[in-house]
């Protein structure tokens, strides 16, 4: 007898094997359709548009004239439509189900945001339009800047960076400019980064030619304060710290850390990717932070995870504010103005380190973020953080006896587990995650952060209901029990039900095939 899920569909491994052994003529399974590449759909001569024959002309290209096809697939309009609709149905998304990726804040994107972003006055503006014709769009940027400063308690914000990592680069360039203004850019060459940091932190520091110096974590999963203080010195430019950190824990010593950094003449960069956990409750400016990026696509909804683009505004302390990059919006009696040149900035009394992007940033994300803030209100934003933390703790408390939690006590917005519960089962974190796909769940973040072995990092976010979480928790308990019961059928070779099974991810990474090549034309027989 195979098990049934709560929708009455068989879930047992026996079923999986027998249904997998049936080969269909088309390769399709039920109404789940196989889809070739669009190049493989090529039907030479087929076309979705009906173009008039060009008027007679004499080519001046001579021998350069192309005789062969240019290699675009010939596909009719209905076939193109079906192709892309089928592909879109293969794309798992936050609109389809729970997306428990830790360190990512994959939350519901309210449709209201989408509607606002498509208003012609926002959606159709061109970045080179005269400023007097886009006063509303500039006002929206000013409003976003206002609320980002308000929510973080910081005096300035650079809106233009296009992702969290880009925001890190922006913040660190502001820090470097401030050091240069003090004549210390050459002598301060080291950046302190906790070992649990997201990879973008050391990458950002390295991109700016800084030496990255790792700060060890305590057994509690937080920065080792004594080890950190011992590393401070006159050659330290900054610390890059994430709070709550990537173990889902609040860095309780953050004020001491900020004080020590400043006493050493360095700056405090905070990775604000986890702002969702504290928005409306804690103002980073009050913690002594000098620069922090905010992933609008994490904290303030807006599509994330293949849906992109992102936006990574950076808030800056008074010490760094003068160095904020161009462009920025100012408001005067004449309306809103985008300060776009060094000359204008000089009049303003600022000293921008330069510019991060060609234009002004991700307008669509700005609109979505403002719509999200306005529709939540200040009480709603505070509740976001509270519910995100509550949901994560519900997951942690429900699963800590079935999985294994590396750190004692409650968490912030994400629950971290390690692979001790799989010890001796022959099942690894990867197998466990792949088995989740068969259950209809996108896996959680795996093997990150690196400070715990075989990490499983789950961030439910505030937008998931208790019912959804209970089903998810039930699934993980079921899988943990199967693993511990030495029942490997759910895990070996999983996912069984996905269109593709276990891929050779190492080979794919080492030897990626990124380009479709036509099959070699058949040689005519002599
Ligand atoms: C997501 C994330 C980043 C990078 O942000 P992107 O927008 O993906 O560039 C940096 N740090 C942490 C902790 C993150 O979770």
């Amino acid at each position: 007898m195979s098990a049934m899920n709560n929708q009455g569909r068989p879930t047992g491994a026996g079923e999986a094997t027998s249904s997998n052994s049936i080969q269909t003529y088309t390769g399709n399974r039920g109404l789940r359709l196989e889809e070739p590449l669009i190049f493989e759909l090529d039907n030479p001569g087929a076309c979705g548009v009906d173009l008039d024959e060009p008027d007679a002309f004499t080519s001046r290209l001579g021998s350069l004239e192309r005789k062969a096809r240019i290699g675009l697939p010939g596909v009719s309009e209905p076939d193109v439509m079906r192709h892309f609709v089928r592909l879109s149905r293969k794309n798992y998304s936050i609109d389809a189900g729970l997306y428990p990726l830790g360190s990512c804040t994959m939350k519901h994107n309210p449709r209201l945001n989408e509607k606002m972003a498509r208003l012609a006055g926002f959606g159709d503006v061109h970045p080179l339009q005269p400023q007097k014709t886009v006063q509303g769009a500039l006002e929206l940027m000013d409003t976003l800047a206002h609320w980002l400063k308000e929510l973080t308690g910081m005096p300035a914000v650079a809106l233009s960076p296009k992702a969290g990592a880009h925001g890190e680069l922006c913040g660190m360039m502001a820090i470097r400019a401030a050091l240069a203004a003090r004549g210390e850019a050459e002598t301060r060459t080291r950046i302190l980064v906790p070992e649990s940091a997201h990879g973008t932190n050391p990458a950002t520091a390295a991109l700016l030619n800084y030496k990255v110096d790792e700060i060890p974590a305590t057994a509690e999963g937080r920065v080792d304060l004594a080890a950190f203080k011992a590393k401070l010195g006159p050659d330290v430019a900054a610390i890059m710290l994430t709070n709550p950190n990537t173990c889902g824990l609040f860095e309780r010593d953050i004020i001491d850390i900020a004080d020590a950094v400043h006493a050493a003449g360095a700056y405090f960069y905070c990775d604000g990717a986890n702002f969702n956990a504290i928005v409306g409750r804690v103002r980073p400016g009050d913690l002594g932070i000098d620069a922090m990026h905010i992933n609008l696509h994490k904290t303030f909804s807006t599509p994330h995870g293949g849906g992109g683009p992102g936006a990574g505004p950076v808030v800056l302390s008074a010490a760094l504010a003068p160095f904020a990059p161009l462009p920025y919006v100012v408001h005067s009696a004449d309306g809103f103005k985008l300060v776009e040149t060094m000359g204008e900035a000089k009049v303003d009394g600022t000293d921008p380190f330069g510019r991060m992007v060609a234009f002004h940033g991700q307008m669509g994300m700005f609109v979505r973020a403002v719509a999200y803030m306005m529709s939540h209100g200040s009480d709603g934003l505070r509740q976001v953080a509270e519910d995100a933390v509550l949901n994560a703790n519900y997951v942690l408390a429900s699963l800590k006896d079935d999985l294994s939690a590396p750190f004692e006590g409650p968490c912030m917005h994400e629950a971290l587990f390690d692979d001790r519960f799989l010890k001796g089962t022959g099942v690894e974190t990867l197998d466990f995650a792949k088995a989740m796909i068969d259950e209809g769940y996108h896996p959680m973040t795996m093997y990150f952060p690196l400070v715990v072995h075989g990490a499983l990092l789950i961030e439910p976010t505030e937008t998931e209901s208790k019912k959804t979480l209970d089903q998810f928790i039930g699934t993980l308990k079921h899988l943990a029990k199967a693993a511990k019961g030495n029942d490997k059928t759910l895990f070996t070779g999983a996912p069984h039900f996905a269109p593709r099974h276990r891929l050779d991810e190492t080979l794919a990474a080492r030897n990626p095939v990124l380009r479709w090549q036509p099959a070699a034309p058949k040689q005519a027989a002599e």
Side-chain angles (χ1 to χ4, degrees), residues 227-517:
F228 153 71
K229 284 188 175 162
K231 283 182 181 287
L232 282 171
D235 64 332
V236 171
I239 181 175
M240 294 182 85
L241 183 88
T242 312
N243 202 17
N245 70 22
T246 60
C247 299
L249 302 171
F250 195 82
E251 294 283 359
R252 295 190 204 107
D253 293 327
I254 188 158
I255 305 246
D256 281 350
I257 292 172
D259 289 346
V261 166
H262 292 145
Y267 291 100
F268 187 170
Y269 187 90
C270 183
D271 179 329
N274 296 336
F275 193 42
N276 200 61
I278 57 172
V279 61
R281 292 201 55 113
V282 179
R283 300 193 317 162
D286 298 336
L287 304 176
I289 286 157
D290 291 300
M292 181 179 98
H293 74 260
I294 297 164
N295 308 60
L296 295 187
H297 50 289
K298 293 182 182 174
T299 305
F300 298 106
S301 72
T302 83
H304 182 189
V314 182
V315 287
L316 299 165
S317 65
L320 299 182
F323 307 102
L326 297 168
Y328 56 87
V329 179
V330 291
H331 187 199
S332 70
D334 303 337
F336 295 91
K337 188 174 134 215
L338 206 53
V339 175
E340 293 193 273
T341 63
M342 289 298 206
E344 289 168 286
K346 209 173 197 119
V347 177
D348 248 17
T350 67
D351 189 12
F353 67 73
R355 191 180 244 290
M356 297 297 293
V357 299
F359 293 121
H360 326 316
Q362 307 283 34
M363 192 64 202
M365 298 295 112
F366 297 166
V367 181
R368 289 172 173 90
V370 170
Y372 181 81
M373 289 174 179
M374 296 291 119
S375 51
H376 275 71
S378 58
D379 57 334
L381 285 179
R382 169 183 268 258
Q383 196 182 338
V384 160
E386 292 170 351
D387 289 352
V389 172
L390 180 63
N391 276 358
N393 277 288
Y394 183 61
V395 170
L396 179 62
S398 304
L399 288 174
K400 71 177 184 340
D401 297 331
D402 303 271
L403 279 56
S404 42
F407 305 117
E408 282 292 312
C411 60
M412 294 293 288
H413 62 303
E414 51 196 354
L416 178 61
F417 299 96
D418 60 20
D419 63 0
R420 279 173 301 155
F421 75 105
L422 294 172
K423 204 166 177 183
T425 63
V427 173
E428 294 183 8
T429 295
L430 180 73
D431 308 309
F432 193 83
K434 295 291 184 193
M436 287 171 67
I437 296 175
D438 283 335
E439 297 284 351
Y441 285 108
H442 190 287
M444 71 291 272
T445 294
M446 300 179 287
Y447 300 108
F448 176 82
L450 304 176
V451 285
V452 306
H453 199 267
L456 305 95
L457 184 63
I458 300 172
E459 180 178 0
T461 79
E462 72 283 359
T463 50
E464 299 302 341
S465 66
K466 178 166 181 297
K467 193 167 165 226
T468 307
L469 294 182
D470 283 338
Q471 169 117 342
F472 176 71
I473 289 163
T475 306
L476 295 201
K477 280 181 185 278
H478 166 73
L479 291 177
K481 195 167 161 212
K484 289 179 195 171
N486 278 325
D487 176 6
K488 285 215 235 164
T489 44
L490 293 182
F491 304 98
T492 310
H496 304 286
F497 297 130
R500 297 291 175 272
H501 309 297
R502 194 70 70 95
L503 303 178
D504 187 338
E505 290 168 13
T506 312
L507 185 66
R510 295 284 140 73
N511 187 18
V513 180
L514 301 176
R515 195 167 165 206
W516 178 80
Q517 302 284 358

Side-chain angles (χ1 to χ4, degrees), residues 45-52 75-78 80:
C47 187
V49 287
D50 196 2
L51 298 174
D52 289 340
V75 197
S76 71
E77 181 177 321
V80 168

Side-chain angles (χ1 to χ4, degrees), residues 131-153:
Q131 293 192 19
K132 64 176 184 339
T133 67
V134 289
Q135 285 292 301
L138 294 179
E139 180 173 358
L140 180 123
M141 289 168 71
D142 193 59
T143 304
L144 175 64
H146 169 77
W147 286 113
L148 291 177
K149 289 185 284 188
E150 198 69 20
L151 286 164
T152 56

